[in-house]
Amino acid sequence: MLDDADGPPAVWVQTDDALAAVAEFRAATMWHGSFLTVPEVVTGHDGADEVLRRAAFMLRELPARYSEQMAAAADAVTQGVVDATVADGGAE
Amino acid sequence: MTWGPYSTAASLRATALALREFASHFDGRTGIFGDDVAAGDRFVETAAATWHGPRSHDDLACVRAYLDAVRPMVDAISNVATKATAFAGDADTIAGYLDTHEATLADARADTPAGESLPNEAWLAQRGIEDLHLDWLAACRRHGLLVAAAMEPLEAAYQAEASGFSAPVVTGGDYLSALIGLAASAGVDLERLGHDAAAVRRHLEHGLVGDGHALVVVVLSNASSAEAVAYWNSLTDEERIELIETRPDVAAKVLEAGGMLSAYELEQLDGANAYPVFSEEFMAEFELSARLRVATIFIGEDFTLVAMRMSDGTVQVAVAKGVHHGVGVEAENGEGEAEAAIGLFTEAQQVFVFPSEESAASAIHALEDAVEDVGIDDVAIDWFLEPLLPEGANIVNEFEAEINNLWDDYGMVATFTGGVYAEAEVEIQSAVEEAELEGEVHIAVYDTDTTELATEPARSGIIVAGSLGVHGEAGSGAGPSGGAEGVFTIDAYTNDDGDEFVTITVNGSASLGIVGEIVDRTALEWDSHAEAGVAATVEITVPADELGVGLGDIATSLARGQLPSTIDDLYDAADIRVSVDTTAELSTETEFQLGTVELNVDIARSESQNVITLHKYPDGEFFSQNHVDGLIDTELGIDPEPEPDEHTVEPTVTGEEDGTTAPSAGEEYCAALPPRSGLNIPDYIYDSDGNAIATITAGNQCVPL
């Protein structure tokens, strides 16, 4: 732990916990967005079929896209934390 | 009647089954996606408990805000599943009724002998099947709308995600902007810790956007002063130079915020800020023109030499030779004359860049000497008669040879232009005053070649230019003069990267001064002008495809009586430069009339001073180039308004045996020079060997060298 006696702590990091958190997060999100097949429904009504196709597209795309971005966000934050810790000599 | 394939009970039951499977996928994703959000919550919770620092609060708030946006999607997915299940229920219900009617109809057909009519209940059953078919279509319509409504949060999330990453909007406080803030603030933390911020920054930005340079521009444009400086320190040398060359306004922000630029980077910023042309002074213009007039046939050639002192200390000299052949009409009476002409013209221009005024002045003197050796009359005769002369008899070879020599060392841009022109001039004359109204239009194609000295890439294009000017002066003898002129240019071109642009330039100027005149109506007319004025120029460059879309939208919108929606987009995509300059010019015009040959000799020296230049890069805001120049000068320790004494140079003297010093050639020249008045035109004085012995400074002082 790095503590600045003259004011609030500049950076205070528990590296192992942070790494564990990001590992769990990556594991939870990465594969969730990696595969999905949604059955096609044909009703004979063009409007309804189009809506259902769009819904299936959303279900395939959105979680994948957001999971990827969530993982990127986690990487960005965590890497900043880890690198700052490394720069400080691996303070715990 | 044609029966659709989904109108039987069996097909509807299959549809209902598919809808239930569809719903179950959504239900399943609700749980999995909910897990994603829960994992995000746990991550934030853990990170918040283990990381405290100047930027941790904001960075984690970014992830929290993102998770808040994601949460409604879980419910929305569940809602879609519910609606799909209800849809399946209606399908099954209708299929049940269909079963009954289909069985009734089948039984009746089986029991009715061939050739006899079906019983009434069969017809009722068939009618019922038709009604159920309509019911099914109505159900489809209704459930389709319900599913679409349930999907609205998903659509919103999809649009937010798509727009957030394809077109970053920093001010909107979206997810990307939060990450950009993170990237910028990372530099502050890491610099404080003495860490290699560049490596971390690259990692932070990896995968955020495809174009890393675009992200650098966005981050620096939106970062606070401290963040901008820290972020700048994390950039590689290559990234810094790329930024300086493409967005000097953003690099200047770093300088203004207290960031450090190396001497080389400052030099590059100085040059980039002046890019492509930023002239502080229009040093000299020397022009010869000649025209042969036979009845209403105009055959003319002219030669111009223009030298411009640039803000980076270099001097650009443009030499052009033009040819125009046309037909026209001319009318004259005691009160004035009018001319109008149309024709073809070509112009070949070469631009040279000299590292200093001294080297440029030396070259100009050499060119002037070449012209003087040949003689003005010879030049004119040669140009007209050149095609008829035997090979090798070209009288202006010496001049052209001098140009070729200069091109090897100082050549920058060579442009060939050809096209059509139309011009008209009306001159009204009285005993005491004279007024002229001139207008012209040119349409031409051009092609430029450049050398490594060029600041802009080679390009080719089509240009449409026009001007309208009015000028008045005393009719004879000395008196006041004044004028105003408007010029427009539309230049559509392709650069050497294959990119297409359109540049629209509008210039307006006005001037006042005095004029002296000697008129010998038989052969000679001589005018001398001294005028000072002001000029304003607006130059707008937009990518051609953006302009095409924008103009199409503007035309369509105006036709519908609506406000165009793409004006903002066009403004964002445009590079806009606005400049205001003051000008001063001293010129003499001599016109000889020798039978059908009219020869004009114009010599002008002028000076212009930029008052202000505002510039906006694409996707940027207006900034003052003069302000950036000031920043650079301050950083380099240059006084923006130096005292005249700072420009004086101690004369070099040679010691004599008796202790006295003999005056140098420059000292002798300056001592003999009467006090100068009038315009402050910098110049160099040469001895017979071509060595510079003295200079006339911008402060109008003669300084021995």
Side-chain angles (χ1 to χ4, degrees):
Chain A
M1 178 193 309
L2 174 67
D3 202 356
D4 184 349
D6 296 331
V11 176
W12 183 85
V13 177
Q14 292 176 350
T15 311
D16 290 344
D17 287 349
L19 284 174
V22 77
E24 179 196 2
F25 182 68
R26 294 300 304 265
T29 58
M30 282 190 68
W31 71 271
H32 287 170
S34 61
F35 70 93
L36 183 68
T37 55
V38 182
E40 185 180 10
V41 181
V42 183
T43 66
H45 182 276
D46 290 345
D49 287 349
E50 177 58 32
V51 169
L52 292 170
R53 271 196 297 274
R54 180 71 178 168
F57 170 79
M58 286 292 178
L59 192 58
R60 284 194 304 271
E61 285 290 314
L62 268 178
R65 288 176 180 230
Y66 272 79
S67 291
E68 186 179 332
Q69 293 174 25
M70 288 167 77
D75 274 355
V77 173
T78 305
Q79 193 62 47
V81 171
V82 171
D83 286 351
T85 307
V86 172
D88 193 44
E92 285 288 331
Chain B
M1 158 173 263
T2 301
W3 293 93
Y6 306 104
S7 300
T8 65
S11 67
L12 279 188
R13 289 193 196 287
T15 298
L17 191 63
L19 279 169
R20 287 201 169 84
E21 192 181 351
F22 179 90
S24 77
H25 272 77
F26 272 73
D27 259 343
R29 289 301 291 186
T30 302
I32 294 172
F33 203 25
D35 289 346
D36 286 356
V37 177
D41 285 335
R42 285 197 300 277
F43 168 76
V44 170
E45 188 180 343
T46 305
T50 57
W51 178 33
H52 300 273
R55 75 172 199 267
S56 60
H57 177 77
D58 289 343
D59 294 351
L60 294 175
C62 145
V63 182
R64 285 194 185 97
Y66 166 74
L67 291 171
D68 287 344
V70 170
R71 280 192 182 84
M73 290 162 53
V74 181
D75 288 340
I77 291 173
S78 174
N79 202 14
V80 170
T82 302
K83 302 303 182 197
T85 303
F87 198 173
D90 275 4
D92 276 336
T93 301
I94 293 173
Y97 289 118
L98 270 177
D99 269 340
T100 303
H101 290 311
E102 284 172 354
T104 301
L105 190 58
D107 290 345
R109 281 175 174 156
D111 295 341
T112 304
E116 291 187 15
S117 175
L118 291 170
N120 279 343
E121 60 267 29
W123 292 111
L124 290 174
Q126 188 150 322
R127 175 64 183 271
I129 289 171
E130 288 178 28
D131 288 345
L132 286 169
H133 177 64
L134 295 175
D135 288 346
W136 170 239
L137 293 180
C140 286
R141 190 158 46 244
R142 184 175 71 255
H143 286 290
L145 292 173
L146 291 172
V147 172
M151 279 172 49
E152 282 179 2
L154 299 181
E155 293 282 5
Y158 182 76
Q159 294 302 327
E161 189 274 339
S163 63
F165 277 77
S166 61
V169 180
V170 177
T171 54
D174 62 10
Y175 174 59
L176 181 63
S177 70
L179 284 178
I180 287 171
L182 177 150
S185 59
V188 178
D189 273 7
L190 297 170
E191 186 182 58
R192 188 178 299 177
L193 292 169
H195 189 62
D196 177 8
V200 177
R201 185 183 61 78
R202 281 194 292 275
H203 182 89
L204 291 175
E205 294 173 0
H206 176 70
L208 285 185
V209 291
D211 182 354
H213 175 65
L215 182 62
V216 168
V217 172
V218 172
V219 170
L220 280 176
S221 299
N222 295 277
S224 67
S225 294
E227 287 175 342
V229 172
Y231 192 76
W232 170 261
N233 292 337
S234 76
L235 298 180
T236 64
D237 291 344
E238 291 77 14
E239 287 171 324
R240 289 183 180 189
I241 292 301
E242 184 179 7
L243 182 76
I244 286 170
E245 288 176 346
T246 56
R247 289 296 298 269
D249 56 324
V250 176
K253 177 181 176 182
V254 174
L255 192 62
E256 192 165 24
M260 297 291 291
L261 274 68
S262 68
Y264 176 72
E265 288 164 354
L266 276 173
E267 181 186 335
Q268 296 300 306
L269 180 59
D270 197 15
N273 185 50
Y275 176 85
V277 173
F278 180 43
S279 64
E280 283 186 336
E281 286 191 37
F282 184 61
M283 192 171 74
E285 179 180 339
F286 178 76
E287 178 178 320
L288 295 172
S289 68
R291 170 180 287 183
L292 177 66
R293 178 178 296 158
V294 181
T296 57
I297 308 295
F298 294 92
I299 303 172
E301 301 201 16
D302 52 56
F303 157 74
T304 59
L305 186 151
V306 175
M308 285 189 293
R309 187 166 68 180
M310 311 304 289
S311 59
D312 61 0
T314 62
V315 174
Q316 287 189 14
V317 174
V319 179
K321 179 182 176 184
V323 177
H324 55 275
H325 294 173
V327 295
V329 293
E330 184 178 322
E332 186 174 0
N333 62 21
E335 294 180 348
E337 60 185 63
E339 284 181 20
I342 58 172
L344 306 173
F345 76 97
T346 61
E347 182 181 272
Q349 176 175 271
Q350 287 172 290
V351 179
F352 307 88
V353 57
F354 296 90
S356 66
E357 281 183 50
E358 184 173 357
S359 57
S362 174
I364 291 172
H365 278 282
L367 288 173
E368 289 176 340
D369 288 345
V371 171
E372 286 173 5
D373 289 347
V374 174
I376 291 171
D377 292 346
D378 292 337
V379 171
I381 292 170
D382 177 76
W383 284 349
F384 292 134
L385 303 181
E386 184 176 348
L388 306 177
L389 294 175
E391 191 172 352
N394 188 340
I395 301 172
V396 292
N397 268 353
E398 185 180 345
F399 180 82
E400 291 183 354
E402 189 64 40
I403 288 285
N404 290 336
N405 290 338
L406 290 175
W407 179 258
D408 292 338
D409 295 328
Y410 304 108
M412 182 170 73
V413 177
T415 304
F416 182 80
T417 307
V420 296
Y421 73 93
E423 62 184 23
E425 180 181 341
V426 177
E427 188 176 320
I428 301 170
Q429 216 159 17
S430 71
V432 293
E433 57 192 19
E434 186 176 302
E436 287 179 1
L437 177 66
E438 290 181 78
E440 63 180 43
V441 178
H442 290 75
I443 302 173
V445 295
Y446 67 90
D447 189 21
T448 66
D449 290 322
T450 60
T451 71
E452 59 185 15
L453 293 174
T455 54
E456 285 188 319
R459 70 191 202 191
S460 57
I462 300 173
I463 195 165
V464 179
S467 67
L468 183 65
V470 60
H471 193 265
E473 62 187 45
S476 62
S481 69
E485 185 178 35
V487 178
F488 79 91
T489 304
I490 301 173
D491 184 3
Y493 57 92
T494 304
N495 66 13
D496 60 351
D497 293 330
D499 300 323
E500 296 176 342
F501 295 92
V502 176
T503 296
I504 301 168
T505 308
V506 179
N507 170 275
S509 60
S511 61
L512 288 173
I514 57 173
V515 60
E517 185 179 57
I518 299 174
V519 178
D520 172 358
R521 291 288 177 193
T522 58
L524 170 70
E525 182 172 331
W526 177 85
D527 273 333
S528 176
H529 293 263
E531 290 193 349
V534 61
T537 304
V538 178
E539 179 184 299
I540 303 171
T541 299
V542 291
D545 54 348
E546 296 264 2
L547 184 64
V549 172
L551 291 178
D553 173 71
I554 290 169
T556 306
S557 301
L558 293 179
R560 292 175 180 166
Q562 300 169 339
L563 287 176
S565 59
T566 54
I567 286 183
D568 286 347
D569 294 340
L570 269 180
Y571 177 80
D572 288 341
D575 182 304
I576 304 174
R577 190 191 305 264
V578 180
S579 61
V580 177
D581 300 82
T582 56
T583 60
E585 179 175 308
L586 182 63
S587 65
T588 60
E589 300 172 13
T590 309
E591 181 180 313
F592 298 97
Q593 193 89 37
L594 303 171
T596 58
V597 176
E598 176 184 304
L599 177 65
N600 294 297
V601 179
D602 301 336
I603 299 177
R605 282 177 175 265
S606 64
E607 178 180 329
S608 78
Q609 181 69 45
N610 179 251
V611 178
I612 187 169
T613 296
L614 301 176
H615 195 175
K616 184 195 94 65
Y617 283 85
D619 298 319
E621 301 294 332
F622 271 105
F623 73 100
S624 163
Q625 284 189 300
N626 314 70
H627 177 63
V628 174
D629 269 359
L631 287 175
I632 296 168
D633 288 348
T634 302
E635 191 68 18
L636 293 173
I638 298 173
D639 186 344
E641 294 181 356
E643 295 297 322
D645 286 345
E646 293 184 18
H647 280 292
T648 59
V649 178
E650 289 297 326
T652 303
V653 295
T654 305
E656 297 288 325
E657 287 183 358
D658 61 0
T660 61
T661 56
S664 67
E667 286 176 311
E668 287 180 348
Y669 176 86
C670 290
L673 191 69
R676 292 167 66 91
S677 60
L679 300 172
N680 298 333
I681 306 297
D683 199 1
Y684 282 84
I685 310 302
Y686 296 85
D687 62 15
S688 56
D689 297 328
N691 301 314
I693 58 171
T695 180
I696 307 299
T697 70
N700 211 12
Q701 306 218 347
C702 182
V703 179
L705 297 177

